Amino acid sequence: MAKRLGVSRTLNFVSKSVEETLRLGTALGVELEEGDFIALQGELGSGKTTLAGGIGIGLGVKMKLASPTYLLCREYVGRHLLFHLDAYFEGRMEAVLAEGLAERLAGPGVVIVEWPEKMEAWLPSDRLAVELDGVGMERQISFKALGPHSENLLARFRVAVEKFDKNT
């Protein structure tokens, strides 16, 4: 598993491969519950879609997650309904949210958003903010809880990663 750097309301890792990033996402996905909101922030090529793919695996989604860039939102069925959004095209995302997607996302399911900074006004205050930094194989990944619900998620994720580390 990726090397852990620190704990508190934030959990930091260094991932040295695509496989480690996928495993982190999978460990997080296993812990997700309905209503969880994951905001993935990072430059192009930083591993946002790779981490999202691992989350999908952890949620039991049978198909590989694809980047929702041009569709804005992809919906997957797993243990929970999964909405995977890409807000890169800010104006288009704003219009789709205003036309009803926001209400759909407020229902049952888990939401992952790439480029959350482009839809700041629509983000819930309680979310797990994930910052990915680095291009290539090695990247720093920081998970930060921004409220009580996401703090609970982060605590469960921390335990899951520790158990995984002991078994490998």
Side-chain angles (χ1 to χ4, degrees):
M1 181 68 74
K3 183 180 176 188
R4 187 174 34 262
L5 297 178
V7 293
S8 66
R9 286 184 72 170
T10 303
L11 192 56
N12 299 304
F13 296 91
V14 173
S15 172
K16 295 187 183 271
S17 68
V18 169
E19 293 77 21
E20 284 186 359
T21 302
L22 272 172
R23 281 195 299 268
L24 278 173
T26 301
L28 179 59
V30 166
E31 298 304 322
L32 291 176
E33 300 174 346
E34 281 194 353
D36 286 333
F37 194 103
I38 313 299
L40 304 177
Q41 192 167 352
E43 295 300 318
L44 284 170
S46 63
K48 296 180 299 294
T49 302
T50 299
L51 188 68
I55 292 170
I57 292 168
L59 278 169
V61 173
K62 299 295 182 207
M63 61 190 311
K64 181 179 178 180
L65 268 65
S67 176
T69 301
Y70 298 103
L71 295 177
L72 304 181
C73 180
R74 291 184 184 260
E75 192 173 315
Y76 299 92
V77 176
R79 196 176 73 254
H80 302 295
L81 195 56
L82 172 62
F83 298 97
H84 182 197
L85 286 77
D86 188 320
Y88 186 77
F89 295 111
E90 185 174 356
R92 288 181 56 211
M93 179 57 77
E94 183 82 20
V96 170
L97 285 164
E99 291 173 8
L101 181 60
E103 288 80 19
R104 178 90 170 108
L105 300 178
V110 170
V111 179
I112 302 171
V113 176
E114 298 185 32
W115 303 98
E117 66 277 15
K118 296 186 179 271
M119 56 179 276
E120 195 73 38
W122 295 93
L123 297 176
S125 58
D126 192 341
R127 63 187 181 271
L128 187 64
V130 182
E131 177 73 34
L132 296 98
D133 187 27
V135 177
M137 287 299 119
E138 186 169 309
R139 61 189 34 88
Q140 291 193 16
I141 306 174
S142 175
F143 298 82
K144 183 176 183 180
L146 299 179
H149 185 83
S150 58
E151 284 177 12
N152 189 8
L153 169 59
L154 188 63
R156 292 191 316 272
F157 176 51
R158 180 178 291 121
V159 169
V161 169
E162 288 170 359
K163 284 181 185 175
F164 185 87
D165 282 348
K166 287 179 185 176
N167 293 329
T168 57

